[in-house]
Amino acid sequence: MPVQAELFTRPQSGDRFRSQTDPVLQLEEINVNFDGFQALTRLSMNIGVGELRCVIGPNGAGKTTLMDVITGKTRPDSGSAWFDQSLELTRMDPVAIARCGIGRKFQKPTVFEALTVFENLEIAMKGDKSLWATLRAKLNSEQRDRIDEMLGTLRLGAERNRRAGALSHGQKQFLEIGMLLVQEPYLLLLDEPAAGMTDAETEYSAELFRSLAGRHSLMVVEHDMGFVETIADRVTVLHQGQVLAEGTLREVQANEQVIDVYLGR
Ligand SMILES: Nc1ncnc2c1ncn2[C@@H]1O[C@H](COP(=O)(O)OP(=O)(O)OP(=O)(O)O)[C@@H](O)[C@H]1O
Ligand SMILES: [Mg+2]
């Protein structure tokens, strides 16, 4: 039976100071097999509330597949994925999973190119209505303020009335992150968010992600080790669908197996 998103009640403000060691996500013995190819093998990992976890590993290690499992795009052959210790994600559909507070950013930015930057954030904020109903419905002043604040956070204040299609690649990446943030997710999954960004944009996104940790929990897949070093609390290394190592970046960088399969000598 699929779990109804409505059963999930968001923690109220008093819960915000729950112990950071509480897991927001617990993956247990996840197996994913694509027509005989074992993409994830008995994969287990926990992410704590407010933690910023980086997931690294060679191409084909299973990083994107892992995000597909968490968001309901891929159903594992076995194993479980507990969200906030109460919802079993592998039994829910993608829409229900998104509604209960898990946001995902794919590698390629997906914004509405023909609409303005402001309108993109407006649509994201009012998520579940149709596009035109959303644009016709007036924002209240509180929502307007929140979008204005988000434009500042994204450094897109000057671009608010520009068509999103006219933005640089990096600006589109920031806009898409903003479209997730206005939905106030608990857990944000970001697949190679710094790909295609300039050095300055990469540096600012590191700063932004650090500022989000604590208020949100984040899982970031990234190949740029400098970026990982700047942002990560803990790092999980995947290899051939399995967890090869986990710890601080220093710890995994010193791990012989990690050096052999990923970092090189
Ligand atoms: N739908 C699918 N059907 C068959 N094989 C798949 C499918 N999705 C992924 N795979 C395979 O599973 C393996 C893991 O892929 P995945 O995309 O998760 O790797 P990744 O760690 O994200 O790699 P990259 O760093 O290149 O993005 C790859 O060998 C890929 O070819
Ligand atoms: Mg990938």
Side-chain angles (χ1 to χ4, degrees):
M1 270 267 290
V3 179
Q4 296 297 307
E6 285 71 23
L7 294 178
F8 180 79
T9 50
R10 294 190 161 212
Q12 298 304 304
S13 51
D15 293 334
R16 265 211 313 263
F17 304 102
R18 284 184 307 182
S19 159
Q20 295 248 332
T21 56
D22 278 353
V24 68
L25 185 71
Q26 294 161 286
L27 303 174
E28 295 166 355
E29 305 263 320
I30 301 273
N31 283 293
V32 171
N33 191 291
F34 294 117
D35 302 319
F37 176 76
Q38 192 71 23
L40 295 179
T41 305
R42 297 186 59 190
L43 188 144
S44 298
M45 67 187 278
N46 286 356
I47 295 183
V49 172
E51 186 183 340
L52 195 166
R53 175 71 57 91
C54 281
V55 177
I56 63 174
N59 296 117
K63 304 179 297 294
T64 299
T65 304
L66 176 61
M67 291 193 171
D68 289 343
V69 168
I70 297 165
T71 53
K73 189 172 174 226
T74 295
R75 208 164 281 273
D77 295 275
S78 60
S80 47
W82 289 97
F83 178 55
D84 208 25
Q85 303 181 76
S86 56
L87 287 182
E88 222 284 66
L89 300 174
T90 70
R91 294 191 295 158
M92 295 166 61
D93 64 56
V95 173
I97 290 172
R99 277 207 192 115
C100 74
I102 298 183
R104 177 187 193 171
K105 190 191 168 308
F106 291 90
Q107 184 171 338
K108 193 173 168 291
T110 45
V111 298
F112 297 106
E113 305 245 329
L115 301 178
T116 68
V117 169
F118 190 93
E119 286 165 341
N120 269 274
L121 292 169
E122 186 176 352
I123 281 165
M125 185 181 271
K126 295 172 167 176
D128 42 11
K129 295 204 193 103
S130 81
L131 192 72
W132 300 115
T134 299
L135 287 179
R136 271 202 310 270
K138 274 224 154 91
L139 288 170
N140 62 36
S141 64
E142 191 192 324
Q143 290 171 317
R144 192 162 277 280
D145 288 350
R146 258 179 60 215
I147 293 183
D148 283 335
E149 193 187 324
M150 185 57 65
L151 285 166
T153 303
L154 303 171
R155 296 186 169 173
L156 290 174
E159 325 292 334
R160 60 185 290 140
N161 296 320
R162 272 182 90 190
R163 274 195 330 105
L167 298 177
S168 74
H169 182 80
Q171 287 174 320
K172 285 182 194 170
Q173 301 268 53
F174 278 111
L175 176 56
E176 197 185 1
I177 291 165
M179 290 168 73
L180 292 171
L181 290 177
V182 293
Q183 299 173 52
E184 301 184 349
Y186 287 134
L187 174 63
L188 256 175
L189 310 175
L190 303 161
D191 202 350
E192 304 193 30
M197 284 190 173
T198 64
D199 287 350
E201 286 166 342
T202 302
E203 200 175 304
Y204 183 60
S205 65
E207 203 180 299
L208 176 63
F209 296 163
R210 275 313 324 166
S211 75
L212 296 174
R215 280 182 295 153
H216 305 263
S217 311
L218 295 98
M219 180 193 276
V220 181
V221 165
E222 193 48 69
H223 287 288
D224 178 338
M225 294 308 282
F227 187 74
V228 170
E229 180 165 18
T230 321
I231 64 169
D233 291 324
R234 286 173 74 78
V235 175
T236 300
V237 186
L238 289 196
H239 176 55
Q240 295 180 345
Q242 292 182 289
V243 174
L244 187 66
E246 198 168 276
T248 64
L249 184 64
R250 290 275 165 276
E251 285 163 0
V252 303
Q253 278 176 328
N255 181 300
E256 291 289 322
Q257 283 178 296
V258 175
I259 294 168
D260 282 341
V261 307
Y262 186 52
L263 298 174
R265 292 189 181 273

